[in-house]
Amino acid sequence: MVKQERAERTLRRIVTAAAERFEENGYSGTTLDDITRAAGVSKGAFYFHFASKKQIADTVVEHSYGLLEDLIEASCGAGVPALQQLIDLTHGLNRLLLTEPTVRTALRFHREWADLEPEFDHYTLWYEAIEQLLGHASEQGELRKDMPGGAARVVAVVTLFSVESLTVRPTTRDQETARRVTDLWNVLLAALVPGSPDDLLRTGAPEPCEVV
């Protein structure tokens, strides 16, 4: 049991170290020596868990995909307007990108390997979630009647890349990025919602118990 727990801790350390090195230097700029040195493990310990650099990179991507799935699938309860769920989901993405190097690394891999068909496609997962929520919002009468076609994909792209761009700077702070996400939604809602949404929707970050 103790040996198994030690192996699991070593595994987590390797995955975290690999994500941090990949995020900083990219896939091609990262060596196994970089990863083992950052993780504080021997090459033997690394090869006990992984056969190659490609396999650890795949593990980082798979782990991050699971985190994004969990974020999207979580719910803050019944009766919450679809647009509020969407706003809260975006704030959740902001927190995830700030705290999880595997997610930041996976999105970097997507940019670096734009010509490949990834097994775990974070972009498609996000786009489909946003399109579904905006579809619900439309059905519930939350959106303007004159919304142009393709609006859902535009919102998905704008939210994902805007939030991602906020977390790539080394001086980024949680409160600062949350304010930027709030500003983003104050602008977007003016184009999406009829009348004034101020009394109906909260654009700021939710309390922990409200997380989508």
Side-chain angles (χ1 to χ4, degrees), residues 1-17 38-41 45 48-50:
M1 186 67 176
V2 173
K3 186 178 294 185
Q4 180 181 351
E5 291 176 354
R6 186 184 304 119
E8 289 175 353
R9 287 197 301 271
T10 300
L11 175 61
R12 289 194 297 270
R13 204 159 66 240
I14 293 171
V15 171
T16 300
V41 301
F48 177 80
H49 295 283
F50 302 101

XYZ file of all heavy atoms in Angstrom, residues 1-17 38-41 45 48-50:
200
model
N 0.831 -1.207 0.000
C 0.000 0.000 0.000
C 0.870 1.264 0.000
O 0.634 2.209 -0.740
C -0.932 -0.005 1.222
C -1.927 1.137 1.211
S -3.128 0.976 -0.133
C -4.186 2.367 0.218
N 1.900 1.257 0.862
C 2.803 2.397 0.939
C 3.537 2.565 -0.378
O 3.705 3.675 -0.881
C 3.806 2.223 2.096
C 4.848 3.334 2.058
C 3.080 2.223 3.440
N 3.972 1.433 -0.964
C 4.685 1.486 -2.238
C 3.781 2.036 -3.340
O 4.209 2.820 -4.191
C 5.176 0.089 -2.608
C 6.051 0.055 -3.852
C 6.546 -1.359 -4.131
C 7.489 -1.822 -3.039
N 8.081 -3.155 -3.363
N 2.509 1.643 -3.331
C 1.563 2.130 -4.334
C 1.338 3.631 -4.189
O 1.304 4.365 -5.177
C 0.237 1.393 -4.205
C -0.823 1.837 -5.221
C -2.131 1.098 -5.048
O -2.212 0.136 -4.288
N -3.151 1.547 -5.734
N 1.182 4.106 -2.954
C 0.991 5.535 -2.719
C 2.215 6.326 -3.165
O 2.089 7.409 -3.741
C 0.709 5.786 -1.240
C -0.654 5.258 -0.781
C -0.858 5.432 0.712
O 0.114 5.858 1.394
O -1.962 5.152 1.200
N 3.404 5.759 -2.917
C 4.622 6.438 -3.337
C 4.687 6.525 -4.851
O 5.067 7.558 -5.421
C 5.846 5.703 -2.798
C 7.162 6.442 -3.082
C 8.363 5.644 -2.628
N 8.275 5.294 -1.221
C 8.242 4.042 -0.752
N 8.267 3.019 -1.593
N 8.188 3.824 0.539
N 4.292 5.446 -5.518
C 4.291 5.439 -6.987
C 3.298 6.449 -7.543
O 3.581 7.125 -8.543
C 3.962 4.037 -7.497
N 2.137 6.586 -6.892
C 1.132 7.548 -7.356
C 1.625 8.982 -7.165
O 1.394 9.843 -8.024
C -0.178 7.328 -6.597
C -0.884 6.029 -6.993
C -2.108 5.763 -6.145
O -2.331 6.514 -5.160
O -2.842 4.810 -6.455
N 2.307 9.247 -6.064
C 2.858 10.585 -5.844
C 3.928 10.897 -6.887
O 3.993 12.024 -7.403
C 3.439 10.690 -4.431
C 2.408 10.763 -3.323
C 3.037 11.275 -2.033
N 4.143 10.416 -1.580
C 3.979 9.368 -0.772
N 2.770 9.035 -0.341
N 5.017 8.650 -0.397
N 4.758 9.906 -7.178
C 5.788 10.099 -8.194
C 5.154 10.364 -9.550
O 5.599 11.248 -10.299
C 6.695 8.860 -8.282
O 7.319 8.642 -7.013
C 7.768 9.049 -9.349
N 4.106 9.625 -9.873
C 3.404 9.818 -11.140
C 2.856 11.236 -11.249
O 3.027 11.908 -12.275
C 2.279 8.799 -11.268
C 1.356 8.924 -12.487
C 2.142 8.758 -13.780
C 0.224 7.898 -12.419
N 2.192 11.711 -10.197
C 1.634 13.066 -10.218
C 2.738 14.109 -10.362
O 2.577 15.109 -11.065
C 0.820 13.320 -8.940
C -0.490 12.551 -8.870
C -1.388 13.114 -7.774
N -0.794 12.976 -6.456
C -0.959 11.919 -5.663
N -1.694 10.899 -6.075
N -0.401 11.880 -4.469
N 3.866 13.858 -9.676
C 4.979 14.800 -9.757
C 5.540 14.873 -11.173
O 5.862 15.951 -11.675
C 6.069 14.381 -8.768
C 6.969 15.520 -8.338
C 7.668 15.229 -7.034
N 8.613 14.141 -7.132
C 8.547 13.016 -6.432
N 7.554 12.824 -5.586
N 9.446 12.079 -6.568
N 5.648 13.735 -11.830
C 6.165 13.702 -13.199
C 5.219 14.420 -14.147
O 5.646 15.211 -14.998
C 6.384 12.244 -13.662
C 7.508 11.588 -12.851
C 6.722 12.205 -15.153
C 7.644 10.094 -13.104
N 3.922 14.163 -14.013
C 2.936 14.797 -14.908
C 2.950 16.310 -14.724
O 2.946 17.068 -15.706
C 1.526 14.224 -14.653
C 0.474 15.021 -15.417
C 1.474 12.757 -15.060
N 2.985 16.770 -13.479
C 3.005 18.216 -13.218
C 4.283 18.848 -13.755
O 4.247 19.908 -14.399
C 2.876 18.490 -11.711
O 1.641 17.956 -11.235
C 2.929 19.982 -11.422
N 5.408 18.209 -13.499
C 6.686 18.745 -13.971
C 6.721 18.781 -15.496
O 7.200 19.761 -16.097
C 7.842 17.897 -13.432
N 13.132 18.396 -13.230
C 12.085 19.207 -12.598
C 11.254 18.384 -11.619
O 10.798 18.899 -10.586
C 11.184 19.822 -13.663
N 11.039 17.118 -11.949
C 10.240 16.241 -11.077
C 11.047 15.689 -9.918
O 10.469 15.173 -8.948
C 9.650 15.097 -11.895
N 12.381 15.770 -10.021
C 13.229 15.221 -8.970
C 13.218 13.707 -8.940
O 13.259 13.093 -7.863
N 13.158 13.083 -10.130
C 13.133 11.624 -10.210
C 14.231 11.150 -11.155
O 14.749 11.914 -11.973
C 11.769 11.094 -10.702
C 10.654 11.547 -9.770
C 11.488 11.549 -12.130
N 12.798 5.876 -12.743
C 11.466 6.152 -12.202
C 10.545 6.657 -13.297
O 9.355 6.309 -13.339
C 11.563 7.173 -11.079
N 9.487 3.784 -15.498
C 8.560 2.880 -14.815
C 7.121 3.245 -15.168
O 6.251 2.384 -15.261
C 8.767 2.955 -13.304
C 7.803 2.115 -12.516
C 7.988 0.751 -12.381
C 6.684 2.688 -11.910
C 7.088 -0.030 -11.653
C 5.776 1.925 -11.194
C 5.991 0.556 -11.068
N 6.877 4.557 -15.376
C 5.520 5.041 -15.654
C 5.276 5.328 -17.135
O 4.150 5.172 -17.611
C 5.254 6.322 -14.853
C 5.237 6.124 -13.374
N 4.177 5.561 -12.699
C 6.170 6.418 -12.422
C 4.430 5.517 -11.401
N 5.636 6.036 -11.206
N 6.296 5.760 -17.856
C 6.113 6.210 -19.234
C 7.215 5.647 -20.132
O 8.371 5.557 -19.727
C 6.130 7.744 -19.308
C 5.091 8.401 -18.452
C 5.433 8.953 -17.224
C 3.761 8.449 -18.854
C 4.476 9.550 -16.424
C 2.794 9.036 -18.062
C 3.153 9.589 -16.837
